[in-house]
Amino acid sequence: MQNGTVLVVGSGGREHAIVIGLERSESVSNIHITPGNAGTGSIGTNHDIQADDLEGVCELAKAIQADLVVIGPEGPLVAGLADLIRSMGIPCFGPNASGAKIEGSKQHANELMNKLSIPTAQSMVTKDLERIQTVLSETPPPWVLKRDGLAAGKGVTVTSDVQVALEAASNAINTDGRVIIEEYMHGEEASILVLMDESGYIVLPPSQDHKRVKDGDLGPNTGGMGAYAPAPVVTEDVMSRTVDQIIKPMWQYFRGLKEPYRGCLYVGLMISNGIPRVVEFNARFGDPETQVTLPLVNSDIGLLLLSVSQGRVGQFEIDLSPLHAATVVLASEGYPGDTKIGRPIIGLNEGNDDEWTYIYHAATTKESGKYISSGGRVVSVTGISHSLEDALRKSYESIKKINLEGSHYRSDIGQRALRKR
Ligand code: AMP
Ligand code: GLY
């Protein structure tokens, strides 16, 4: 690809990080984003078509003569956007609906892992609330109840309260006709992003997200309040177990299918005493993990994503940076509950004052030249440096310069890794 035209589908910090990666790529000249945010709009052309408007996105890809379409979020992948883009003869980064089912259905993912003997939690699926009551009385808390579909990050309940567990189970049964109950896994979580197609796979540096809204991993779950990479909990031994017991079997499985998996396989791990088990698979890049992973890729991101889209990643020689990256998410007042939006964001430009600090926009719009918040996770600020401490310092120095009424961020991103020293 030379002077390539790339269409990125989505509007979060993840998509802004992909767009900045493409902007750095010599192979890419034109970047289009739909619908995008104020950050992506300052680099490429934003379009007013929502990511789940499959027909609209296809028409756009054709109209701009895209050489590559990169799909960020899970919704359109599960709905089959990648199938449609490929049927038009346009290379697409993101699996077909059949591959995206590993994220779209927890039951499917659990059955597949059992079939392939991939280490994960024991689980059971049922439509019978009495069976759930029996399990709750026979196993010690905490309990993990899951809905079997995309639920915008709200499908998992981890609780030690029997009433809360029963309510989650009955809600799931009423909505989906079934509920999944899983063994609770103790340990430390990590995320591994794997670029995969039928020719091979590339494992990107492991990262760690911070899902709870408050310092000390307290408060409700969010989409992710910060991340860092590489994550030292993924030791060489943990990585080699993960590759042998999880990534390779998944790759061999997908390679044997009629429709190859071409995209990012997100492996969410729980690591206990050096033993990794799968918490979840996602069919896409993580958010905010992408904001600390793509900056550690020195290769041309356009060519890298194109090679996955064309089934050639096995021949791609990736150049990874030895540096560290940390990102801190600035969230709106009330997030993840009743979120206050529509407020001016001051100081975004001041935060971006050196080439090793990136401000990734997520929920931002621009009105009359001013930035306005438009959702829960507003921006994430990534620092990159020779050490995690310094990457965090850059990120925190920069986020302090951003002013958004009522906003909040965690002040302990990366502390778990620093304590391990
Ligand atoms: P998921 O959407 O499956 O990633 O679940 C969201 C979060 O719930 C995970 O990041 C974990 O923190 C927690 N979780 C999910 N499943 C389990 C499990 N079986 N054991 C312990 N924690 C879990
Ligand atoms: N950060 C978690 C996710 O992207 O699913």
Side-chain angles (χ1 to χ4, degrees), residues 301-321:
I301 302 276
L303 293 181
L304 176 60
L305 301 184
L306 183 70
S307 80
V308 177
S309 310
Q310 295 180 327
R312 297 184 283 107
V313 79
Q315 288 90 54
F316 195 95
E317 288 201 15
I318 194 158
D319 176 9
L320 291 174
S321 156

PDB file of all heavy atoms in Angstrom, residues 301-321:
ATOM      1  N   ILE A 301       2.080   1.011  10.921  1.00  0.00           N
ATOM      2  CA  ILE A 301       0.822   0.397  11.408  1.00  0.00           C
ATOM      3  C   ILE A 301      -0.117   0.095  10.228  1.00  0.00           C
ATOM      4  O   ILE A 301      -0.847  -0.898  10.233  1.00  0.00           O
ATOM      5  CB  ILE A 301       0.112   1.342  12.416  1.00  0.00           C
ATOM      6  CG1 ILE A 301       1.017   1.660  13.603  1.00  0.00           C
ATOM      7  CG2 ILE A 301      -1.249   0.783  12.859  1.00  0.00           C
ATOM      8  CD1 ILE A 301       1.049   0.679  14.714  1.00  0.00           C
ATOM      9  N   GLY A 302      -0.095   0.960   9.213  1.00  0.00           N
ATOM     10  CA  GLY A 302      -0.944   0.736   8.039  1.00  0.00           C
ATOM     11  C   GLY A 302      -0.593  -0.591   7.377  1.00  0.00           C
ATOM     12  O   GLY A 302      -1.474  -1.415   7.089  1.00  0.00           O
ATOM     13  N   LEU A 303       0.715  -0.825   7.177  1.00  0.00           N
ATOM     14  CA  LEU A 303       1.138  -2.075   6.528  1.00  0.00           C
ATOM     15  C   LEU A 303       0.873  -3.283   7.429  1.00  0.00           C
ATOM     16  O   LEU A 303       0.511  -4.360   6.950  1.00  0.00           O
ATOM     17  CB  LEU A 303       2.623  -2.006   6.160  1.00  0.00           C
ATOM     18  CG  LEU A 303       2.986  -0.997   5.069  1.00  0.00           C
ATOM     19  CD1 LEU A 303       4.479  -1.050   4.774  1.00  0.00           C
ATOM     20  CD2 LEU A 303       2.166  -1.239   3.793  1.00  0.00           C
ATOM     21  N   LEU A 304       1.035  -3.082   8.734  1.00  0.00           N
ATOM     22  CA  LEU A 304       0.809  -4.177   9.678  1.00  0.00           C
ATOM     23  C   LEU A 304      -0.660  -4.616   9.649  1.00  0.00           C
ATOM     24  O   LEU A 304      -0.973  -5.805   9.501  1.00  0.00           O
ATOM     25  CB  LEU A 304       1.205  -3.720  11.087  1.00  0.00           C
ATOM     26  CG  LEU A 304       0.955  -4.707  12.222  1.00  0.00           C
ATOM     27  CD1 LEU A 304       1.719  -6.008  12.016  1.00  0.00           C
ATOM     28  CD2 LEU A 304       1.346  -4.099  13.574  1.00  0.00           C
ATOM     29  N   LEU A 305      -1.575  -3.645   9.761  1.00  0.00           N
ATOM     30  CA  LEU A 305      -3.000  -4.002   9.782  1.00  0.00           C
ATOM     31  C   LEU A 305      -3.446  -4.537   8.421  1.00  0.00           C
ATOM     32  O   LEU A 305      -4.276  -5.445   8.340  1.00  0.00           O
ATOM     33  CB  LEU A 305      -3.852  -2.790  10.214  1.00  0.00           C
ATOM     34  CG  LEU A 305      -3.517  -2.212  11.604  1.00  0.00           C
ATOM     35  CD1 LEU A 305      -4.486  -1.094  11.966  1.00  0.00           C
ATOM     36  CD2 LEU A 305      -3.535  -3.277  12.688  1.00  0.00           C
ATOM     37  N   LEU A 306      -2.852  -3.993   7.356  1.00  0.00           N
ATOM     38  CA  LEU A 306      -3.180  -4.511   6.013  1.00  0.00           C
ATOM     39  C   LEU A 306      -2.729  -5.966   5.876  1.00  0.00           C
ATOM     40  O   LEU A 306      -3.441  -6.793   5.299  1.00  0.00           O
ATOM     41  CB  LEU A 306      -2.535  -3.637   4.929  1.00  0.00           C
ATOM     42  CG  LEU A 306      -2.892  -4.053   3.504  1.00  0.00           C
ATOM     43  CD1 LEU A 306      -4.361  -3.741   3.189  1.00  0.00           C
ATOM     44  CD2 LEU A 306      -1.989  -3.360   2.468  1.00  0.00           C
ATOM     45  N   SER A 307      -1.545  -6.277   6.428  1.00  0.00           N
ATOM     46  CA  SER A 307      -1.045  -7.654   6.278  1.00  0.00           C
ATOM     47  C   SER A 307      -1.993  -8.636   6.976  1.00  0.00           C
ATOM     48  O   SER A 307      -2.249  -9.727   6.468  1.00  0.00           O
ATOM     49  CB  SER A 307       0.392  -7.782   6.794  1.00  0.00           C
ATOM     50  OG  SER A 307       0.402  -7.889   8.188  1.00  0.00           O
ATOM     51  N   VAL A 308      -2.550  -8.234   8.139  1.00  0.00           N
ATOM     52  CA  VAL A 308      -3.521  -9.101   8.821  1.00  0.00           C
ATOM     53  C   VAL A 308      -4.772  -9.256   7.943  1.00  0.00           C
ATOM     54  O   VAL A 308      -5.318 -10.343   7.781  1.00  0.00           O
ATOM     55  CB  VAL A 308      -3.912  -8.510  10.201  1.00  0.00           C
ATOM     56  CG1 VAL A 308      -4.973  -9.372  10.879  1.00  0.00           C
ATOM     57  CG2 VAL A 308      -2.698  -8.360  11.098  1.00  0.00           C
ATOM     58  N   SER A 309      -5.186  -8.143   7.362  1.00  0.00           N
ATOM     59  CA  SER A 309      -6.416  -8.144   6.552  1.00  0.00           C
ATOM     60  C   SER A 309      -6.277  -9.001   5.306  1.00  0.00           C
ATOM     61  O   SER A 309      -7.275  -9.456   4.750  1.00  0.00           O
ATOM     62  CB  SER A 309      -6.749  -6.720   6.114  1.00  0.00           C
ATOM     63  OG  SER A 309      -6.725  -5.878   7.220  1.00  0.00           O
ATOM     64  N   GLN A 310      -5.035  -9.187   4.855  1.00  0.00           N
ATOM     65  CA  GLN A 310      -4.807  -9.972   3.638  1.00  0.00           C
ATOM     66  C   GLN A 310      -4.257 -11.372   3.928  1.00  0.00           C
ATOM     67  O   GLN A 310      -3.811 -12.062   3.007  1.00  0.00           O
ATOM     68  CB  GLN A 310      -3.868  -9.205   2.698  1.00  0.00           C
ATOM     69  CG  GLN A 310      -4.509  -7.908   2.199  1.00  0.00           C
ATOM     70  CD  GLN A 310      -3.614  -7.116   1.272  1.00  0.00           C
ATOM     71  OE1 GLN A 310      -2.382  -7.130   1.433  1.00  0.00           O
ATOM     72  NE2 GLN A 310      -4.214  -6.403   0.331  1.00  0.00           N
ATOM     73  N   GLY A 311      -4.229 -11.755   5.205  1.00  0.00           N
ATOM     74  CA  GLY A 311      -3.778 -13.104   5.541  1.00  0.00           C
ATOM     75  C   GLY A 311      -2.286 -13.298   5.383  1.00  0.00           C
ATOM     76  O   GLY A 311      -1.827 -14.368   4.993  1.00  0.00           O
ATOM     77  N   ARG A 312      -1.493 -12.253   5.716  1.00  0.00           N
ATOM     78  CA  ARG A 312      -0.043 -12.347   5.529  1.00  0.00           C
ATOM     79  C   ARG A 312       0.745 -12.017   6.796  1.00  0.00           C
ATOM     80  O   ARG A 312       1.940 -11.748   6.724  1.00  0.00           O
ATOM     81  CB  ARG A 312       0.405 -11.364   4.433  1.00  0.00           C
ATOM     82  CG  ARG A 312      -0.144 -11.617   3.055  1.00  0.00           C
ATOM     83  CD  ARG A 312       0.446 -10.640   2.054  1.00  0.00           C
ATOM     84  NE  ARG A 312      -0.143  -9.308   2.133  1.00  0.00           N
ATOM     85  CZ  ARG A 312       0.452  -8.238   2.641  1.00  0.00           C
ATOM     86  NH1 ARG A 312       1.651  -8.309   3.132  1.00  0.00           N
ATOM     87  NH2 ARG A 312      -0.175  -7.071   2.669  1.00  0.00           N
ATOM     88  N   VAL A 313       0.076 -11.983   7.955  1.00  0.00           N
ATOM     89  CA  VAL A 313       0.792 -11.500   9.150  1.00  0.00           C
ATOM     90  C   VAL A 313       1.948 -12.422   9.531  1.00  0.00           C
ATOM     91  O   VAL A 313       2.934 -11.989  10.139  1.00  0.00           O
ATOM     92  CB  VAL A 313      -0.179 -11.268  10.338  1.00  0.00           C
ATOM     93  CG1 VAL A 313      -0.560 -12.574  11.033  1.00  0.00           C
ATOM     94  CG2 VAL A 313       0.413 -10.296  11.340  1.00  0.00           C
ATOM     95  N   GLY A 314       1.848 -13.694   9.157  1.00  0.00           N
ATOM     96  CA  GLY A 314       2.925 -14.650   9.445  1.00  0.00           C
ATOM     97  C   GLY A 314       4.256 -14.241   8.835  1.00  0.00           C
ATOM     98  O   GLY A 314       5.313 -14.624   9.329  1.00  0.00           O
ATOM     99  N   GLN A 315       4.221 -13.442   7.767  1.00  0.00           N
ATOM    100  CA  GLN A 315       5.473 -13.004   7.118  1.00  0.00           C
ATOM    101  C   GLN A 315       5.895 -11.600   7.564  1.00  0.00           C
ATOM    102  O   GLN A 315       6.912 -11.089   7.127  1.00  0.00           O
ATOM    103  CB  GLN A 315       5.315 -12.980   5.589  1.00  0.00           C
ATOM    104  CG  GLN A 315       5.250 -14.349   4.925  1.00  0.00           C
ATOM    105  CD  GLN A 315       3.823 -14.846   4.833  1.00  0.00           C
ATOM    106  OE1 GLN A 315       2.949 -14.173   4.315  1.00  0.00           O
ATOM    107  NE2 GLN A 315       3.571 -16.038   5.380  1.00  0.00           N
ATOM    108  N   PHE A 316       5.091 -10.970   8.417  1.00  0.00           N
ATOM    109  CA  PHE A 316       5.392  -9.582   8.800  1.00  0.00           C
ATOM    110  C   PHE A 316       6.440  -9.563   9.913  1.00  0.00           C
ATOM    111  O   PHE A 316       6.293 -10.222  10.932  1.00  0.00           O
ATOM    112  CB  PHE A 316       4.117  -8.880   9.290  1.00  0.00           C
ATOM    113  CG  PHE A 316       4.244  -7.387   9.350  1.00  0.00           C
ATOM    114  CD1 PHE A 316       3.820  -6.594   8.296  1.00  0.00           C
ATOM    115  CD2 PHE A 316       4.804  -6.761  10.465  1.00  0.00           C
ATOM    116  CE1 PHE A 316       3.954  -5.207   8.348  1.00  0.00           C
ATOM    117  CE2 PHE A 316       4.944  -5.387  10.524  1.00  0.00           C
ATOM    118  CZ  PHE A 316       4.506  -4.607   9.462  1.00  0.00           C
ATOM    119  N   GLU A 317       7.514  -8.815   9.699  1.00  0.00           N
ATOM    120  CA  GLU A 317       8.541  -8.728  10.752  1.00  0.00           C
ATOM    121  C   GLU A 317       8.290  -7.470  11.551  1.00  0.00           C
ATOM    122  O   GLU A 317       8.596  -6.366  11.100  1.00  0.00           O
ATOM    123  CB  GLU A 317       9.921  -8.715  10.121  1.00  0.00           C
ATOM    124  CG  GLU A 317      10.245 -10.069   9.572  1.00  0.00           C
ATOM    125  CD  GLU A 317      11.728 -10.311   9.385  1.00  0.00           C
ATOM    126  OE1 GLU A 317      12.540  -9.545   9.941  1.00  0.00           O
ATOM    127  OE2 GLU A 317      12.038 -11.270   8.665  1.00  0.00           O
ATOM    128  N   ILE A 318       7.761  -7.646  12.732  1.00  0.00           N
ATOM    129  CA  ILE A 318       7.360  -6.473  13.515  1.00  0.00           C
ATOM    130  C   ILE A 318       8.549  -5.898  14.277  1.00  0.00           C
ATOM    131  O   ILE A 318       9.427  -6.626  14.721  1.00  0.00           O
ATOM    132  CB  ILE A 318       6.205  -6.819  14.476  1.00  0.00           C
ATOM    133  CG1 ILE A 318       5.581  -5.537  15.028  1.00  0.00           C
ATOM    134  CG2 ILE A 318       6.659  -7.735  15.592  1.00  0.00           C
ATOM    135  CD1 ILE A 318       4.186  -5.709  15.536  1.00  0.00           C
ATOM    136  N   ASP A 319       8.553  -4.569  14.380  1.00  0.00           N
ATOM    137  CA  ASP A 319       9.593  -3.864  15.132  1.00  0.00           C
ATOM    138  C   ASP A 319       8.913  -3.295  16.382  1.00  0.00           C
ATOM    139  O   ASP A 319       8.106  -2.375  16.289  1.00  0.00           O
ATOM    140  CB  ASP A 319      10.164  -2.745  14.236  1.00  0.00           C
ATOM    141  CG  ASP A 319      11.187  -1.887  14.965  1.00  0.00           C
ATOM    142  OD1 ASP A 319      11.583  -2.255  16.097  1.00  0.00           O
ATOM    143  OD2 ASP A 319      11.574  -0.843  14.406  1.00  0.00           O
ATOM    144  N   LEU A 320       9.214  -3.886  17.545  1.00  0.00           N
ATOM    145  CA  LEU A 320       8.586  -3.435  18.789  1.00  0.00           C
ATOM    146  C   LEU A 320       9.557  -2.571  19.582  1.00  0.00           C
ATOM    147  O   LEU A 320      10.767  -2.800  19.576  1.00  0.00           O
ATOM    148  CB  LEU A 320       8.164  -4.638  19.635  1.00  0.00           C
ATOM    149  CG  LEU A 320       7.008  -5.480  19.083  1.00  0.00           C
ATOM    150  CD1 LEU A 320       6.789  -6.723  19.939  1.00  0.00           C
ATOM    151  CD2 LEU A 320       5.728  -4.660  18.998  1.00  0.00           C
ATOM    152  N   SER A 321       9.016  -1.591  20.267  1.00  0.00           N
ATOM    153  CA  SER A 321       9.832  -0.668  21.050  1.00  0.00           C
ATOM    154  C   SER A 321      10.126  -1.279  22.422  1.00  0.00           C
ATOM    155  O   SER A 321       9.275  -1.957  23.006  1.00  0.00           O
ATOM    156  CB  SER A 321       9.031   0.630  21.209  1.00  0.00           C
ATOM    157  OG  SER A 321       9.455   1.324  22.333  1.00  0.00           O
TER     158      SER A 321
END
